[in-house]
Amino acid sequence: MTLRAVFPGTFDPIHYGHIDIARRGCALFDEMVVAVYDRPLKSLLFSPEERIELVCTAFEDEARISVQGYRNLTVDFCESIGAKVLLRGLRVFSDFEHEFRMALANRRLAPGIDTVSLITSEEHTFLNSTTVREIASLGGDVSSMVPEFVREALGEKLSVARAAGKDVYNSLRD
Ligand code: ADP
C-alpha cells in the first residue's frame, strides 16, 4: 500500500524551513503532496498560482514530491487524494499550541487522518515567510533563507508593488 502524506501550508513564499520539512518527510512516506492553500485568513504577497509555481520549482528534482493547490478543508483535500497523513513542521514552542489545536480539530473532522509533526532543523528555527517578506521589503539579504529563484521573485514582486506606489512594508503583515 502506498503511504501518501500531505504537507499543507501557505508558502508565501516557500523558504528553506519548508523545503527541509518536505524533504525529510519524503524519507518517511512513499509520496508527498505539498498542498498550497488558496485563501488563508492572512494577507498575502504572492497569488496562489505564483506560490504554486515557486513550490514546484523548489521540488522539481524530487520525483516523489508533487504540488497541488487547494481551497477546501485540508482534511477534505487529504481524503480526496487518499492521503492518510498530514505533515506539519514545528519551530519554536509557541508553534506547538496552534499545531496541537489544529491537529485535534482535524482529527475530530477526519479520524482516519493523522498529523505527523517534524521538529525543524536547528538552522531554520527562526525562519518564517513573514520574516522573509519583511526583510526583503526593507532591502535586506534573504539569500540564506530562500533559494535564488524565490529571491528573484521577491525582488520582482516588490519592485512592481513599489512602482504602483504601494507601502510594501506595511501591506505585507499577516
Ligand atoms: P500555515 O499558514 O499553514 O502555517 P506556512 O506556509 O506558514 O503555512 O507553513 C506551512 C508549514 O511549514 C507549517 O507546518 C509550519 O509550521 C511549517 N514551517 C514553516 N516554517 C518552518 C521552519 N522554519 N521550520 C520548520 N517548519 C516550518
Side-chain angles (χ1 to χ4, degrees):
M1 196 185 75
T2 304
L3 188 51
R4 184 174 294 144
V6 166
F7 178 38
T10 308
F11 306 106
D12 187 41
I14 188 161
H15 54 65
Y16 285 135
H18 295 129
I19 293 172
D20 173 58
I21 295 293
R23 289 201 193 279
R24 284 164 53 207
C26 212
L28 303 175
F29 308 105
D30 301 312
E31 284 178 20
M32 169 82 59
V33 177
V34 182
V36 181
Y37 187 47
D38 179 298
R39 45 180 181 181
L41 297 174
K42 48 186 177 182
S43 57
L44 297 169
L45 179 60
F46 291 99
S47 69
E49 295 74 24
E50 290 165 335
R51 286 180 284 126
I52 289 171
E53 197 184 321
L54 292 173
V55 176
C56 284
T57 306
F59 299 116
E60 64 191 0
D61 62 335
E62 187 58 75
R64 284 186 302 126
I65 299 184
S66 60
V67 183
Q68 284 190 49
Y70 74 106
R71 50 169 38 204
N72 50 347
L73 271 176
T74 302
V75 287
D76 288 347
F77 173 74
C78 290
E79 279 171 350
S80 74
I81 62 163
K84 294 258 179 280
V85 174
L86 254 174
L87 180 69
R88 297 286 290 177
L90 280 178
R91 283 161 297 200
V92 283
F93 198 66
S94 52
D95 277 350
F96 182 78
E97 195 181 338
H98 172 68
E99 294 293 335
F100 185 74
R101 266 192 281 115
M102 254 186 3
L104 289 179
N106 282 330
R107 190 130 55 94
R108 172 78 59 89
L109 293 171
I113 297 175
D114 253 313
T115 298
V116 170
S117 299
L118 291 182
I119 307 286
T120 189
S121 297
E122 225 176 312
E123 65 271 29
H124 305 311
T125 313
F126 72 96
L127 195 50
N128 62 39
S129 297
T130 306
T131 304
V132 169
R133 294 194 306 264
E134 277 185 4
I135 293 173
S137 73
L138 293 170
D141 179 11
V142 292
S143 56
S144 66
M145 303 171 198
V146 297
E148 180 60 19
F149 61 90
V150 175
R151 203 176 62 78
E152 282 167 13
L154 276 164
E156 272 168 39
K157 194 72 172 175
L158 291 166
S159 59
V160 169
R162 276 195 201 95
K166 285 196 188 147
D167 173 357
V168 283
Y169 180 72
N170 279 309
S171 64
L172 295 180
R173 295 179 176 284
D174 281 347

